[in-house]
Amino acid sequence: MKSSIADLLRQAIDGLPDLDDAPEFASLSTTVERARDPRHGDFASNVAMRLAKAAGRKPRELAAEIIERLPASELVAKVEIAGPGFINFHLGPAAFHREVEAILEQGADYGRGERRDTPRVLLEFVSANPTGPLHVGHGRHAAYGATLGNLLEAAGYPVAREYYVNDAGRQMDILGVSVWLRVLEREGIAIPFPQAGYRGAYIRDIAAAVDAAALAKVTADDVSSGLPADGPDGDKEAHIGALIDRAAELLGEDGFLALRQQALESILDDIRDDLAEFGVVFDRWYSERSLTDEGRIDAALEVLKKRRMLYTKDGATWFRATDFGDEKDRVVVRENGKRTYFASDIAYHYDKRQRGYDHLLDVLGADHHGYVARVRAGLEAMGYAGDDLEVQLVQFVTLYRGGEKMQMSTRSGEFVTLRQLREEVGNDAARFFYVMRSNDQHLDFDLELAKSRSNDNPVYYIQYAHARVASVFRQLAERELEFDAKAGIAALDRAVEPQEKALMSTLSRYPEIIELAASNRAPQHLVHYLRDLANEFHSYYNAHTFIVDDDALRNARLALVTATRHVIGSGLAILGVSAPDSM
RNA sequence: GCGCCCGUAGCUCAGCUGGAUAGAGCACCUGCCUCCUAAGCAGGGGGUCGCAGGUUCGAGUCCUGCCGGGCGCACCA
């Protein structure tokens, strides 16, 4: 609808003689927007004001000329100049009737953007370290990323979703040691648990599933003799480091590897199930360790080396990140010969591009923002555009219970898991609340509010609108009447009530909202839109009866109601929230 | 110290890439079920858009500088 108006404007402006050099308005849709005030019509354009200077004309004069050149359209009832030079479009009823018809025809597809082949988007999100269950912070990443993926797809982009599994490095060793010690503990071999170990209850669960016989042929003394003191008095990092070495020694490299692998798989299974239950599904789980195994890190470093982007200093290999705007150069190979995490990340992002994805969209925690510049630098150094990488940062979540802030501490194991949250408030409320706020805003998540089955809760408000529609149709069937969509569309000119006009106008905004929310990476636009739509539906519901005796009027109203159901259902699906038929 | 994000109604937040008189929800008042689900509707009060400059026909939105809050500044991942 909006693009039709923009098309009309473009035709009018293309013919203007003294405006040949205004290429920045190639995309005129940016100058057309919904009028905020109904008195200003349905759409307004500021294009005359924006072009006035380049044309050396007065805005209102230019506007008048543009209006004169506007091709006739059956959509537009009236065009007028207003204020400093706005061009206001008043659409005729037929324009909205046509949209309602389109919704009924297209159903769930209404509002989707035209499918395109590029850019191919690789959306990476969650990617939580597989060292424990997901907590409420990861939940926000999951909900945001999944919704973003749905939005991008709805807008027409090809999207692949990926979870980067940090299954390499020291944290896996620490995980292995933590499980090992819990296994020994079960076997009656008590060793003080290291400060730097993972002490959550889930470690004990994993330990319980381990075949202990082979691991238990050691004494407490074998394990802990001669270790450097643990924190807080000693060095907890040195302590756990020595424990890791001890584990490899006593279990053998293979034995320790198997233990780590079992722990990793157990945790990954849990994460996978958790996310699947939350409606969050990935196309691929990409193993960090596979980068090493398949030589991709070496390959990436080789590319950098060939491009003279590496140098050696203090025994380490450095990447010239400052050449690409980073604040300092970064180590990729440590003095001890081990590659840094950053080296993996360069290789990973390089691989993403190599696999043919043009646009790399990473959803990261706000605490990772310092990381963006160097990964982008890495891509540029390998010959790709820095803009190929886009990072959306997600701010932290604070849990409240009825206004009371809940303390969370990973160290003590007293964090609320995503699973607990989902069980308490339900998947729908969780998905909804997570994306209700802008991702770069801190989120206060109130458990009581999310759970409340009252009118305080915006999830139910929207779902209720959907359920009400279904209920209307149950009533219709009970009265042995049928909805005739064709007759309804034909009779839409009977829908002249203020609530009907408002509803039609809002329904027709849906495609614009999809586009807006997708391009701004801002699911909250969709949330607010659905709330508005539900609001208008509820108002309509209260003001007028749908199932009336007059066949034409009844079918017209039911056409509107059906269109509302389609759009709410489609919008909720994008949010990953169910659209119930009864509540 | 440097970098990123945030500051809008009593509270929690939107604000469509610079538009016309700044909007929701909650909370607080007043009404509405003989009628398709009252998890609903109708109406009301409530604002120095952190502060100060600047750009512009026009600034909550862009620029600069302050103030306040969060996060980050590893040869950890």
Side-chain angles (χ1 to χ4, degrees), chain A residues 488-499:
Chain A
I489 288 159
L492 278 173
D493 55 355
R494 298 284 304 280
V496 293
E497 301 291 347
Q499 292 86 355

Side-chain angles (χ1 to χ4, degrees), chain A residues 242-263:
Chain A
L243 259 176
I244 290 167
D245 293 342
R246 190 64 52 89
E249 204 176 290
L250 294 172
L251 301 174
E253 284 294 347
D254 289 348
F256 189 43
L257 180 68
L259 186 61
R260 282 186 320 215
Q261 193 61 24
Q262 186 172 350

Side-chain angles (χ1 to χ4, degrees), chain A residues 87-316:
Chain A
I87 301 174
N88 290 343
F89 293 84
H90 297 255
L91 303 194
F96 293 103
H97 299 168
R98 191 178 288 185
E99 288 298 304
V100 174
E101 186 176 3
I103 296 170
L104 295 192
E105 271 172 13
Q106 298 167 31
D109 285 336
Y110 178 74
R112 302 187 87 88
E114 211 168 308
R115 291 192 64 149
R116 51 198 118 185
D117 298 329
T118 58
R120 292 183 64 203
V121 178
L122 183 64
L123 177 63
E124 183 205 331
F125 61 109
V126 186
S127 297
N129 287 341
T131 54
L134 299 177
H135 56 66
V136 293
H138 300 127
R140 189 179 192 188
H141 285 243
Y144 175 74
T147 305
L148 195 51
N150 293 344
L151 273 171
L152 289 170
E153 257 167 16
Y157 295 96
V159 178
R161 299 155 174 84
E162 205 157 285
Y163 186 122
Y164 184 53
V165 182
N166 295 118
D167 54 3
R170 187 178 171 82
Q171 58 183 355
M172 284 299 106
D173 292 331
I174 296 176
L175 177 65
V177 162
S178 301
V179 173
W180 183 46
L181 294 179
R182 292 306 188 199
V183 171
L184 295 181
E185 186 181 83
R186 287 174 63 84
E187 298 295 313
I189 304 167
I191 290 139
F193 201 79
Q195 294 244 322
Y198 300 123
R199 50 181 64 246
Y202 61 93
I203 297 289
R204 286 198 165 92
D205 296 340
I206 297 169
V210 168
D211 177 12
L215 306 184
K217 293 176 195 156
V218 294
T219 65
D221 206 41
D222 292 338
V223 176
S224 46
S225 69
L227 296 178
D230 198 2
D233 301 327
D235 181 343
K236 63 177 183 177
E237 292 303 325
H239 177 77
I240 199 145
L243 259 176
I244 290 167
D245 293 342
R246 190 64 52 89
E249 204 176 290
L250 294 172
L251 301 174
E253 284 294 347
D254 289 348
F256 189 43
L257 180 68
L259 186 61
R260 282 186 320 215
Q261 193 61 24
Q262 186 172 350
L264 170 69
E265 276 164 19
S266 165
I267 289 173
L268 270 182
D269 282 346
D270 174 68
I271 289 176
R272 234 186 292 257
D273 290 348
D274 200 5
L275 289 174
E277 286 170 21
F278 199 34
V280 179
V281 176
F282 290 88
D283 297 296
R284 182 164 178 181
W285 295 67
Y286 196 106
S287 155
E288 179 189 356
R289 208 171 48 206
S290 74
L291 287 170
T292 310
D293 296 348
E294 295 168 14
R296 296 189 192 283
I297 298 180
D298 292 331
L301 291 181
E302 194 56 34
V303 172
L304 288 175
K305 191 178 170 189
K306 274 198 182 128
R307 291 174 160 263
R308 301 179 190 286
M309 297 300 173
L310 302 180
Y311 65 90
T312 308
K313 192 181 86 179
D314 303 333

Side-chain angles (χ1 to χ4, degrees), chain A residues 170 312-318 331-341:
Chain A
R170 187 178 171 82
T312 308
K313 192 181 86 179
D314 303 333
T317 306
W318 296 71
V331 171
V332 287
V333 183
R334 294 196 276 263
E335 198 178 353
N336 65 11
K338 288 191 173 175
R339 272 79 56 97
T340 60
Y341 175 80

